[in-house]
């Protein structure tokens, strides 16, 4: 029952509320003054040193058939997951069948196995809230599984089936090819995608496996027997590294691996893949993709780069820290002081077993395109000419070293890294060697690698933007600007309205 209070009661309650509110404001105000008096600027904050990182306990062994296996127990959750890395990649597919590796990697899973149709495989996994996935990227193949601990044995059995006896159902290949055609048709919808794709062609060459693109013609050339042949060439136990992590007993897991993979026959004569040669396709020049609908320009400038195993990689990564991020030179100068960019960056971006790129760029309004590019060029030359300040060096090194811990946020990251290092032939402690080298990097080291590896005279410049809106024109950068035609080969031109 609701009861209404009398006037006296109401008056007393109002007075009480006012007094309480006043007291709260006084306390809050005093606390705020105390907090303000004790507050420090972010540059004055001091943090404890990052604790030493140690690798979780793991086991590595090799089956008689050559399958390399990593096991890492993690009992935090009742889950088990695993990944197999296969020594293959789209860079090894024939040039006239671009897309073959990708189709092999996807249809290997979607096409079912010799024992289970695609629908049966999907149903079994869905009933157990489990997953088995496969794919083939540029430099490696991958097969993975995830399961509850209680479902480990049946799911792991299906995982082994997919790896050892895929069916490659024709209808699933047809579906994958239809999806690929849709991707080709939409590939010019995004200026970011255009810029990234065409820039790789300028750096590596349009025929290079690191830059070539899937086309309608190459899709049509891929048949089911090609998938079987590609699979049979690379999927052998002595060409795989298997890593498993989660809630299991290592001894029992070892027996399960032996049971599912121990009788898989190796290929004793499997050849070591011959990696494609890499050389710069262009060593300078300004290139342009006209997109009249755009109100801003997407810009890439850069040249061929290097690999992670370079002894100078740690110093180059510190150089990255000087150039990039909040407080970096590019942000401070190009974005903040000159107000030229929505985003701006410049990275030495290496790869494990072939040269990566040095790439700088960003997005800017159309009428600031030339000024933005000149500002980028100036900053690249400045880091060569002027030694970085102690403040810049410390900021870059501390940022890099403090982020080091994020490489080990969970055991699965550590296991993945160990497998990746073995796959590419890097030492297991590569990351720790890198950490020590970053800590000892000097300002002189940063200037030396900037002078040695950055090549302003060989910068390739690519602009994706609205030609009419770019004023002053790109000819202010070079007397000759080369247009790039991104018309999709084999596509039907749209009818004029």
């Amino acid at each position: 029952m609701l009861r209404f209070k009398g006037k006296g009661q109401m008056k007393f309650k109002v007075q009480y509320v006012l007094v309480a509110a006043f007291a709260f404001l006084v306390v809050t105000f005093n606390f705020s003054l105390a907090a303000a008096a004790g507050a420090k600027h972010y540059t004055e904050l001091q943090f404890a040193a990052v604790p030493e990182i140690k690798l979780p306990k793991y086991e590595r062994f090799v089956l008689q058939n050559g399958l390399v296996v990593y096991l890492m127990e993690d009992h935090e959750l009742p889950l088990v997951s695993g990944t197999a890395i296969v020594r293959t990649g789209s860079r090894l597919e024939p040039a006239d069948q671009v897309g073959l590796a990708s189709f092999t990697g996807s249809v290997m899973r979607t096409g079912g196995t010799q024992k289970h149709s695609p629908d049966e495989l999907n149903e079994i996994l869905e009933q157990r809230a489990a997953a088995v996935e496969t794919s083939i990227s540029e430099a490696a193949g991958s097969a993975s599984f995830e399961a509850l601990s209680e479902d480990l044995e049946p799911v792991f059995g299906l995982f082994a089936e997919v790896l050892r006896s895929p069916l490659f159902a024709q209808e699933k290949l047809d579906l994958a090819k239809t999806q690929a055609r849709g991707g080709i048709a939409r590939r010019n919808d995004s200026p970011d995608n255009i810029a990234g794709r065409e820039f790789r062609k300028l750096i590596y060459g349009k025929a290079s496996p690191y830059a070539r693109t899937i086309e309608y013609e190459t899709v049509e050339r891929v048949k089911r027997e090609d998938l079987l042949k590609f699979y049979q060439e690379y999927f052998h136990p002595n060409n795989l590294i298997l890593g498993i992590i989660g809630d299991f007993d290592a001894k029992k897991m070892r027996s399960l691996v032996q049971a599912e993979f121990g009788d898989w026959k190796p290929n004793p004569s499997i050849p070591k893949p011959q990696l494609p040669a890499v050389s710069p396709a262009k060593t300078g020049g300004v290139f342009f993709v006209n997109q009249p609908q755009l109100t801003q320009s997407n810009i890439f400038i850069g040249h061929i780069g290097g690999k992670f195993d370079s002894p100078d990689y740690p110093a180059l990564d510190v150089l990255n820290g000087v150039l990039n991020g909040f407080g970096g030179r590019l942000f401070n100068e190009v974005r903040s002081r000159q107000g030229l960019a929505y985003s701006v960056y410049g990275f030495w971006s290496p790869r494990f077993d072939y040269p990566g790129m040095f790439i700088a760029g960003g997005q800017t309004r159309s009428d600031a395109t030339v000024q933005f590019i000149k500002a980028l060029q100036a900053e690249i030359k400045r880091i060569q000419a002027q030694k970085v300040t102690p403040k810049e060096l410390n900021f870059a090194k501390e940022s890099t070293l403090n982020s080091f811990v994020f490489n080990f946020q969970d055991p699965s990251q550590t296991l993945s890294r160990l497998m990746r290092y073995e796959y590419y032939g890097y030492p297991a402690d590569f990351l720790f060697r890198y950490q020590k080298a970053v800590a000892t990097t000097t300002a002189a080291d940063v200037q030396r690698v900037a002078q040695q590896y950055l090549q302003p005279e060989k910068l390739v410049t690519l602009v994706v933007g609205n030609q009419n809106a770019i004023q002053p024109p790109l000819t202010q950068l070079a007397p000759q600007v080369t247009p790039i035609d991104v018309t999709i080969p084999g596509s039907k031109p749209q009818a004029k309205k």
Side-chain angles (χ1 to χ4, degrees), residues 374-393:
K374 288 183 176 180
L376 278 179
Q377 294 171 339
E379 288 305 308
I380 292 169
K381 292 178 180 178
R382 184 164 78 92
I383 203 166
Q384 292 182 311
Q386 298 178 10
K387 189 178 293 186
V388 299
T389 66
K391 183 178 179 181
E392 287 179 313
L393 179 67

Side-chain angles (χ1 to χ4, degrees), residues 337-358:
R337 196 186 74 80
Q338 296 189 42
L340 293 175
Y342 309 123
S343 67
V344 61
Y345 51 83
F347 286 101
W348 181 263
S349 181
R351 293 293 180 266
F352 278 103
D353 60 357
Y354 73 93
M357 295 183 285
F358 170 70

Side-chain angles (χ1 to χ4, degrees), residues 40-307:
K40 294 182 178 180
H41 192 265
Y42 76 93
T43 57
E44 300 176 307
L45 297 177
Q46 294 183 352
F47 300 95
V50 177
E52 183 181 357
I53 298 172
K54 296 182 180 179
L55 295 180
K57 184 180 178 181
Y58 69 93
E59 181 181 351
R60 180 192 179 280
F61 59 93
V62 183
L63 300 186
Q64 288 187 345
N65 59 13
L67 177 65
V68 177
V69 183
Y70 284 84
L71 299 180
M72 185 179 288
E73 294 185 40
D74 180 11
H75 301 285
E76 184 175 353
L77 295 172
L79 302 171
V80 181
S81 63
T83 299
I85 305 177
V86 189
R87 297 186 187 280
T88 182
S90 62
R91 59 186 176 180
L92 303 177
E93 66 192 359
D96 63 348
Q97 289 185 312
V98 177
L100 169 60
S102 177
F103 292 144
T104 304
S106 62
V107 182
M108 184 177 171
R109 161 63 182 88
T110 62
T113 70
Q114 302 293 340
K115 294 181 181 179
H116 295 92
S117 70
D119 289 342
E120 289 172 339
L121 188 60
N122 291 337
E123 184 177 356
I124 295 171
L125 292 170
E126 288 174 5
Q127 287 174 347
R128 289 173 167 80
V132 174
E133 303 294 342
T134 59
S135 65
I136 297 178
S137 62
E138 177 185 84
S142 173
S144 63
F145 75 90
E146 294 180 357
L148 293 169
S149 305
E150 60 187 37
D151 296 325
L152 172 60
E153 290 193 23
V155 174
F156 191 69
L158 294 174
F159 170 71
E161 268 187 47
V162 170
L163 266 174
R164 297 185 58 176
S165 58
L167 184 62
F168 293 109
Q170 180 65 52
E171 64 269 22
K172 297 301 181 182
L173 172 58
D174 294 340
L175 176 60
K177 291 171 72 172
T178 298
Q179 293 170 335
R181 294 186 193 99
I184 295 171
R186 296 188 301 271
R187 74 182 183 196
N188 288 336
D189 291 353
S190 166
D192 288 338
N193 291 343
I194 295 173
R197 181 183 72 235
E198 297 303 323
F199 190 73
R200 291 180 71 86
K201 290 180 183 180
L202 293 172
I203 298 300
Y204 294 109
K206 63 181 181 180
S208 168
Y210 301 112
R212 61 193 180 194
T213 55
I214 187 171
E215 304 289 356
Y216 293 122
E217 185 180 12
T218 66
V219 170
E220 293 307 312
R221 289 199 181 104
V222 176
K223 310 300 180 185
R224 179 177 178 272
E225 53 267 29
D226 298 317
L227 272 63
L228 286 166
K229 182 180 178 182
F230 194 87
Y231 166 81
Q232 291 163 357
E233 186 171 359
Y234 298 106
F235 282 76
H236 304 282
N238 53 326
N239 205 36
L240 271 72
I241 302 172
L242 173 62
I244 305 171
I245 184 169
D247 184 30
F248 58 79
D249 176 77
K251 186 176 180 180
K252 293 181 179 179
M253 191 72 240
R254 187 165 185 156
S255 298
L256 184 58
V257 172
Q258 178 65 41
E260 295 292 348
F261 291 101
D263 63 345
W264 193 5
K265 301 300 182 183
N267 180 358
S269 59
I270 188 169
K272 184 177 181 180
Q274 296 297 312
L275 299 184
V278 174
S279 59
K282 304 290 183 182
T283 55
V286 177
F287 301 85
F288 181 69
V289 178
N290 188 29
Q291 295 287 284
Q293 78 280 9
L294 297 182
T295 59
Q296 67 177 30
S297 295
N298 288 57
I299 299 160
F300 281 175
I301 69 172
H303 53 66
I304 202 79
K307 299 193 294 183

Side-chain angles (χ1 to χ4, degrees), residues 10 21 31 36 40 95 105 153 194-195 203 214 222 270 298 305 320 330 375 399 404 439-440 472 491 494:
M10 185 63 72
F31 178 78
K40 294 182 178 180
E153 290 193 23
I194 295 173
I203 298 300
I214 187 171
V222 176
I270 188 169
N298 288 57
N320 285 345
L330 293 176
S399 298
F404 184 78
T440 58
S491 62
Q494 293 183 351

